Amino acid sequence: MARKVFISVLGTGPYSECTYGINNTPIMSTRYIQLATLKNLLQTGIDNEEQWTENDAALIFVTSKSKSDQWIVGKTREGIEREGLKAESEKMNLPFELAPIDIKDGKNEDEIWEIFNTIFRQIKEGDELYFDITHAFRYLPMLLLVLVNYAKFLKNVTVKSITYGNFMDPNDVKPIMDLTSISVLQDWTFAAGQYLENGSVSRLVSLCEQEFKPILRETLGADVAAQNLKAFVTKLSDVTEERKTCRGMDIINSTSFKGLKECADNLEETFVDAFNPIFEKIKSSLVSFDGKENIRNGLSAAIWCYDNGLFQQAATILQEFVVSFFCLRHGIAINDDNNREIINKAFRIKYD
């Protein structure tokens, strides 16, 4: 089972006590956003039957100053020393260790890279990561986002949440804001880029399964945006597979592409506004294909394969297109395998 890992950076403070919550529902009054966030994550885990255990971890990255000023003791604005994060966390009886990890101050490039490597070394293969970036000062939010993608690639981790405690909010209950969609947007951007660059839809399909299955399960399939996007990616996969496996007649008949076009027409909005331009970019790559039966779809498919580095498929589909074009020009049924074979042999005899 994947290890759940909470990651946060502890600042130097001083921190004032406030009440953090979700949707104006209080979670905890504390000086430390880490504790309120952990309390919410633990309750969410119980609600979703994904409880945190002693095998999980909470990692608090501390500089020498934040360790002395807020981990060991908790200095306030009034200069009073109160219990630090260490002592406060012990009162919660967490099922796992809340461990301080020493990092540099980040005063120069070498120290910044050392912080990056220190955090990365704490992450294990397949971890589920929960980031709190409330006190990730200066360059650290950008560093963490880069590290997230680095760890996804090298250690196959999953980012389950990215949160920020908005302690400057004027309301009595300070919101814990969910910023996970930033990481999700990066995933979809890379997956869309992979399709546009080399025709691979595997990452898009994987993201669909990962993102939409829980949504459709919770809404009993009633989330229209999730349904439409999932249907679009599924049909895109079908159409791409036709080209990669050189199914010439299917490409010409355009049955799968017709379904894809219908899904594209229904895909007016995704569930995050920032995703919409990404899928408009994918949709614009489909304009050279006809949703109706059209022999020219064969030529478009050959060009698509060539542009995506599928040279063998491009040659095969182009050959099939030429035969189909010859059949159509001379009144021969393009799906007559015997006549197509005769035409192929005739071309070979002609040019041998």
Side-chain angles (χ1 to χ4, degrees):
M1 187 174 180
R3 184 181 68 148
K4 297 179 178 63
V5 182
F6 174 76
I7 293 176
S8 182
V9 178
L10 181 62
T12 57
Y15 301 126
S16 299
E17 185 167 314
C18 62
T19 300
Y20 289 102
I22 303 287
N23 297 327
N24 212 35
T25 300
I27 293 173
M28 185 179 186
S29 292
T30 179
R31 287 177 294 123
Y32 297 109
I33 179 61
Q34 292 88 352
L35 301 183
T37 304
L38 277 170
K39 184 175 181 180
N40 180 60
L41 290 174
L42 289 170
Q43 184 57 54
T44 302
I46 293 172
D47 293 342
N48 295 335
E49 299 182 352
E50 297 178 353
Q51 296 190 38
W52 292 61
T53 71
E54 61 183 9
N55 296 320
D56 300 320
L59 308 177
I60 308 298
F61 292 89
V62 295
T63 62
S64 58
K65 183 169 178 55
S66 66
K67 190 173 186 178
S68 62
D69 288 2
Q70 293 301 329
W71 175 257
I72 298 172
V73 298
K75 292 184 178 180
T76 67
R77 295 182 186 280
E78 297 76 24
I80 301 172
E81 291 190 357
R82 300 175 61 182
E83 290 183 329
L85 178 56
K86 180 180 185 295
E88 291 286 345
S89 67
E90 289 171 351
K91 298 176 184 178
M92 291 181 62
N93 295 318
L94 297 169
F96 44 78
E97 181 185 8
L98 189 77
I101 308 295
D102 294 323
I103 56 173
K104 298 291 186 179
D105 291 326
K107 294 178 180 179
N108 53 53
E109 185 178 347
D110 288 340
E111 288 194 357
I112 290 172
W113 276 114
E114 189 168 341
I115 291 171
F116 182 96
N117 290 325
T118 299
I119 298 175
F120 181 72
R121 283 195 296 269
Q122 297 298 320
I123 298 172
K124 296 181 180 179
E125 180 74 22
D127 277 349
E128 295 180 351
L129 305 181
Y130 299 76
F131 286 96
D132 160 56
I133 62 170
T134 306
H135 302 306
F137 51 93
R138 299 191 297 273
Y139 54 83
L140 275 177
M142 181 184 72
L143 188 74
L144 288 173
L145 285 175
V146 173
L147 185 143
V148 162
N149 289 318
Y150 188 69
K152 284 177 183 176
F153 178 70
L154 290 178
K155 295 191 176 180
N156 195 34
V157 303
T158 303
V159 177
K160 302 295 285 188
S161 76
I162 300 175
T163 55
Y164 173 82
N166 188 5
F167 53 90
M168 298 298 291
D169 189 277
N171 296 308
D172 292 337
V173 178
K174 312 302 180 184
I176 298 177
M177 302 167 59
D178 186 356
L179 305 178
T180 314
S181 57
I182 295 174
S183 177
V184 175
L185 177 61
Q186 287 183 316
D187 289 340
W188 283 98
T189 302
F190 293 149
Q194 190 178 52
Y195 166 73
L196 292 171
E197 289 174 8
N198 58 35
S200 173
V201 295
S202 59
R203 186 58 184 153
L204 285 171
V205 172
S206 176
L207 282 173
C208 267
E209 183 70 15
Q210 176 182 316
E211 298 294 333
F212 300 144
K213 192 173 182 178
I215 295 174
L216 294 173
R217 182 175 62 242
E218 291 172 9
T219 63
L220 300 179
D223 191 301
V224 176
Q227 279 185 330
N228 289 341
L229 192 48
K230 188 174 188 301
F232 175 79
V233 172
T234 299
K235 286 296 183 183
L236 183 64
S237 178
D238 292 342
V239 168
T240 302
E241 192 64 19
E242 283 182 353
R243 300 169 191 172
K244 289 185 175 181
T245 54
C246 304
R247 300 205 294 267
M249 293 307 303
D250 290 335
I251 292 170
I252 291 173
N253 291 335
S254 202
T255 302
S256 294
F257 189 81
K258 180 181 179 182
L260 175 60
K261 190 174 184 304
E262 290 172 352
C263 290
D265 291 340
N266 292 331
L267 192 63
E268 297 178 359
E269 293 183 354
T270 62
F271 56 93
V272 176
D273 286 345
F275 288 4
N276 297 334
I278 294 175
F279 284 91
E280 285 301 320
K281 185 83 170 176
I282 294 176
K283 287 160 67 174
S284 68
S285 71
L286 309 174
V287 295
S288 62
F289 291 87
D290 193 342
K292 300 177 182 178
E293 182 177 344
N294 191 332
I295 192 175
R296 289 186 178 274
N297 284 334
L299 179 59
S300 296
I303 294 172
W304 181 90
C305 287
Y306 181 85
D307 289 342
N308 286 281
L310 303 171
F311 303 121
Q312 181 59 56
Q313 289 89 335
T316 300
I317 292 174
L318 186 60
Q319 180 183 1
E320 291 297 311
F321 163 74
V322 170
V323 173
S324 297
F325 178 80
F326 187 88
C327 288
L328 190 64
R329 184 174 184 180
H330 295 279
I332 301 171
I334 62 173
N335 59 352
D336 188 321
D337 291 339
N338 289 330
N339 283 331
R340 292 181 69 89
E341 180 61 24
I342 292 171
I343 293 169
N344 267 308
K345 290 179 178 179
F347 279 128
R348 284 196 293 270
I349 293 170
K350 171 68 175 176
Y351 293 103
D352 277 349

